[in-house]
Amino acid sequence: MKIVVIGGTGLIGSKLVAKLDQHGHDAVAASPDTGVNTVTGEGLPEVLIGASVVVDVSNAPDWDDDAVMQFFTTSSGNLLAAEATAGVGHHVALSVVGTNRMTESGYFRAKLAQEDLIQDSSIPYTIVHATQFFEFMNGIADEATDGNTVRLPPALIQPMAADDVASALARVAVGPPLNRIVEIAGPDQFRLDDLIRGVLVARDDPREVIADPHARYFGIAPSERTLLPGGDARLGTTHFEDWVRDTTARTARHDSHAVAETGRA
């Protein structure tokens, strides 16, 4: 099966391409780096020749309200039109758990507009709503940092490993179109402030995390359950504590190797 992965050179896309290849599929990484631009349409007709499935994991390069809306509507519109011409039988899109509950953010308004285009198109589809990735915890801390203080709302969150996201997308991509939204999440729930506090402690980061009910999360004011999936979410298998331990160990090995190479230079 030929499966085209839009955004296939990024964090999730590259993992997804590798997993599909391992299972014998013809997975094609499509991005501006490989000559495919969904905003301009460059390379789209060519890359979709013979494709059975398209998985869109691309993200906007600019999160300004107008720019992100233009990216997702233009990109998805071009992509869906090209898929219809090519006879693609399944459009899979990665989106975010709680998108319809976070529309005070321009980013999530744009994601909702993208989902509307997909649902209104003629292409059978599956939209996958994922919770936040473990790999973005530092970004959450940085966004909420003021001086040496990180202020975060004590909302519940159920994050997951990027590798589990890619595995879930691979299963959806090789299955039949569901014509609905499915949710995926990690196996454990945390308070957002507790989670980020643990991340910073594990990395010897001196910033102080403060639980503040009035703090914003990427421009929104989440309630306790805004960021959580429903009870029928498909859960990943990687626990956060295990991911932190493995990531720390890999970083230490990399640093040790770099020091050794410097010594031999």
Side-chain angles (χ1 to χ4, degrees):
M1 184 186 298
K2 180 178 177 180
I3 302 173
V4 175
V5 180
I6 305 297
T9 57
L11 172 65
I12 301 299
S14 59
K15 291 177 179 292
L16 176 57
V17 167
K19 289 178 183 295
L20 292 170
D21 281 342
Q22 289 168 6
H23 287 86
H25 298 286
D26 177 16
V28 180
S31 72
D33 290 340
T34 66
V36 179
N37 189 317
T38 52
V39 173
T40 65
E42 177 187 2
L44 269 181
E46 294 80 9
V47 79
L48 294 182
I49 293 173
S52 300
V53 181
V54 170
V55 185
D56 185 4
V57 299
S58 62
N59 207 351
D62 185 344
W63 285 21
D64 174 79
D65 283 3
D66 291 339
V68 75
M69 180 64 76
Q70 182 177 6
F71 173 82
F72 280 121
T73 55
T74 302
S75 174
S76 294
N78 289 340
L79 183 56
L80 291 164
E83 289 175 24
T85 299
V88 171
H90 189 187
H91 179 95
V92 180
L94 178 62
S95 193
V96 184
V97 162
T99 290
N100 63 336
R101 300 189 292 270
M102 297 188 285
T103 53
E104 62 189 297
S105 160
Y107 180 85
F108 292 106
R109 289 195 297 272
K111 289 297 291 182
L112 198 59
Q114 178 192 35
E115 294 181 17
D116 288 342
L117 286 171
I118 294 167
Q119 292 168 326
D120 291 342
S121 79
S122 63
I123 312 297
Y125 71 90
T126 307
I127 297 172
V128 179
H129 275 191
T131 54
Q132 187 58 269
F133 310 154
F134 294 160
E135 286 79 0
F136 288 167
M137 295 300 110
N138 274 351
I140 293 174
D142 292 346
E143 173 70 16
T145 294
D146 181 10
N148 197 47
T149 301
V150 181
R151 292 186 179 275
L152 288 165
L156 291 168
I157 190 169
Q158 197 167 330
M160 64 189 304
D163 199 59
D164 285 351
V165 176
S167 294
L169 284 168
R171 288 190 288 271
V172 169
V174 301
L178 300 178
N179 293 316
R180 63 181 177 88
I181 294 170
V182 298
E183 293 186 321
I184 60 175
D188 306 306
Q189 291 183 11
F190 304 87
R191 293 286 176 183
L192 182 57
D193 58 302
D194 286 339
L195 178 65
I196 299 304
R197 189 177 294 111
V199 170
L200 298 186
V201 168
R203 297 181 177 174
D204 295 322
D205 190 313
R207 286 178 288 179
E208 179 186 9
V209 179
I210 295 176
D212 181 352
H214 302 293
R216 312 285 284 186
Y217 173 77
F218 290 103
I220 69 165
S223 66
E224 182 174 67
R225 304 189 66 83
T226 297
L227 307 177
L228 291 182
D232 59 349
R234 304 176 183 185
L235 302 185
T237 59
T238 305
H239 294 277
F240 182 67
E241 294 81 359
D242 296 334
W243 179 87
V244 169
R245 185 186 61 246
D246 293 345
T247 301
T248 302
R250 285 196 300 271
T251 300
R253 287 196 298 270
H254 178 270
D255 291 346
S256 176
H257 180 73
V259 169
E261 288 297 315
T262 300
R264 285 195 289 268

